[in-house]
Structure formats: structure tokens, C-alpha cells
Amino acid sequence: MTGLGTMVNCAAIIVGCAVGLILKKGFPEKWQETIMYGVALCIFLIGVEMAQKSQNIVLVIASVVIGSIIGEMLDIQEKLNAFGAWVEKKLLGDRGQTSGSFGRGFISASLIFCIGAMAIVGSIEEGLTGNRQILFAKAMLDGILSIIFAANMGAGVGLSAVPVGLYQGTITLLASWMQNLLTPEIIREVSAAGGVLIMAIGIVQARLLPIRLANQIPALPVAVVLAKLFL
């Protein structure tokens, strides 16, 4: 079922929000930290599993290196950060108070859940291969974050499931359409390159290295081009 990963992700956000409203800051910080690290390790494991499927590791390395160079030249990470700050300022005002806690919760959660490599790579992976592991892991992570956000910012966090569903669902549908244009060999290598990015997400989530994840996203289209040329 196309889009199931996104549906689970949205459901996790809503459930997490409900739990957060019930707990109201009663979720100990050390619990939050330990669970987040646990999820980060699982995300890293998923990335390793995906990356190991490659039959041409040189192609994957070249894709990540070239993609990272392109990402740094375009400065994607900084542009996404600036876009998020601009949206928040426009909708919530200079002090972030004009829309109240409901608006703050909705905007903040929507930006965090949508603007990230995991949402893009996970949605593409589901569309191309039907593998929903990344989005299921993201659902766990977003669910935990929803608990924390809802306890502090209220019910608006739950409404962020709507833009998440539209955003990720659209990417999945586009990737599913692209599947008909790509060979299984190309899809395999693109998935392996995506696995490297997912490993990076686990590393960042565990606070091991300050990797600029968004700047590595071009590795995916680069992998398509290189695979087309050399496979």
C-alpha cells in the first residue's frame, strides 16, 4: 500500500500529541534522552542494512562525495534553516506569540517533522522500493518529539500531521512514478546511497557529529545519473 509509511508517521504524531497533553511535562528528561538515543541507534542500523545492498560501492561513494559537494555549493542546509525561520516569523510574529501556543506548536512541529533528510529519503525509499523502515523509524522519533512538544506547546502539535502527510505523501507518489523509469539496478544503488544518508541521520541524532544532512541530499539524484552512466 503506497503511502503506508507516511500514514503511520502521521498517526504517531497524533498519538504522541495526545500522550503529551496527558503527561503535561511529566515525561522525565533522562527518559527522553535515552529513548532518543535508542531510536538513533536503530536509524543507524537501518542505514547500514540499506547501504550493504550496493553491488558497486565505488558508485555509492562517488555519489555521496559529489552530492555533498553540490549540497555545500548550494548551501541547502542553511537555506532550509533560513526558510524555516522565515515561515515561523511570518506566521507567528517576531516574538512567536501572535498565534498563541496552538500556532507555535503547529508551526514548530511542522517545520521539524517536514524539513529534514529523513522525510525526503524515507519517502523516496518507500516510493521506489516499497521499503517503509525509514518512515517507521521516523514515526517513532516524531512520536517521541510530539510527546515533548505537546507537553510544552499544546494541541497544535497534533495538527502538524496534516502537512507531514501532504509533504511526504507527495514525494512518495512522485518516487513511485519514477520507479517505472528506473531499472532495479539503479534503484538498488540509489537506495544504498540513501542508506549512507540514513546512517548520517543516526549519527547526528546521537549527537556524535554535527553533519549538515541536507547538504548530502543531492547524493540521491547524483546516484541516479552515475548509475545510468556506468551500470
Side-chain angles (χ1 to χ4, degrees):
M1 179 180 177
T2 303
L4 179 61
T6 292
M7 293 179 190
V8 172
N9 196 167
C10 293
I13 292 172
I14 294 170
V15 172
C17 177
V19 172
L21 292 174
I22 294 172
L23 292 178
K24 286 291 184 183
K25 301 184 181 181
F27 197 46
E29 186 174 345
K30 64 178 183 179
W31 290 17
Q32 299 172 23
E33 187 177 69
T34 301
I35 293 172
M36 295 281 275
Y37 285 155
V39 173
L41 292 173
C42 293
I43 292 171
F44 183 83
L45 180 61
I46 291 171
V48 170
E49 183 182 24
M50 289 173 58
Q52 286 180 332
K53 294 178 181 178
S54 173
Q55 297 298 310
N56 192 328
I57 192 63
V58 174
L59 188 149
V60 173
I61 294 172
S63 299
V64 173
V65 171
I66 296 172
S68 297
I69 292 172
I70 293 173
E72 287 294 335
M73 289 174 63
L74 297 175
D75 205 6
I76 298 173
Q77 183 82 55
E78 186 59 34
K79 286 181 172 61
L80 285 177
N81 291 341
F83 173 72
W86 178 82
V87 170
E88 190 167 19
K89 182 177 180 180
K90 287 294 182 181
L91 295 180
L92 300 182
D94 292 336
R95 296 184 178 180
Q97 301 292 332
T98 58
S99 296
S101 61
F102 186 93
R104 290 199 306 277
F106 170 65
I107 298 301
S108 299
S110 296
L111 291 173
I112 290 172
F113 296 155
C114 288
I115 298 179
M118 202 167 189
I120 297 172
V121 177
S123 300
I124 291 175
E125 178 73 8
E126 181 178 12
L128 288 180
T129 69
N131 183 356
R132 304 180 179 95
Q133 283 185 316
I134 299 173
L135 289 183
F136 287 164
K138 181 177 182 292
M140 292 179 60
L141 182 60
D142 289 355
I144 296 167
L145 289 173
S146 292
I147 295 174
I148 300 169
F149 292 160
N152 288 277
M153 293 183 284
V157 172
L159 190 60
S160 66
V162 175
V164 168
L166 293 173
Y167 177 67
Q168 292 182 183
T170 300
I171 295 175
T172 297
L173 288 174
L174 290 174
S176 180
W177 176 72
M178 287 291 293
Q179 181 185 30
N180 299 323
L181 305 177
L182 304 176
T183 65
E185 292 76 18
I186 293 176
I187 292 174
R188 181 189 64 218
E189 299 307 323
V190 172
S191 179
V196 176
L197 269 61
I198 294 303
M199 291 168 61
I201 291 170
I203 290 172
V204 170
Q205 195 64 46
R207 301 176 185 174
L208 297 177
L209 291 172
I211 302 171
R212 290 182 289 277
L213 295 171
N215 288 352
Q216 295 183 328
I217 292 175
L220 300 180
V222 169
V224 173
V225 174
L226 293 181
K228 278 279 191 182
L229 292 174
F230 298 108
L231 292 184

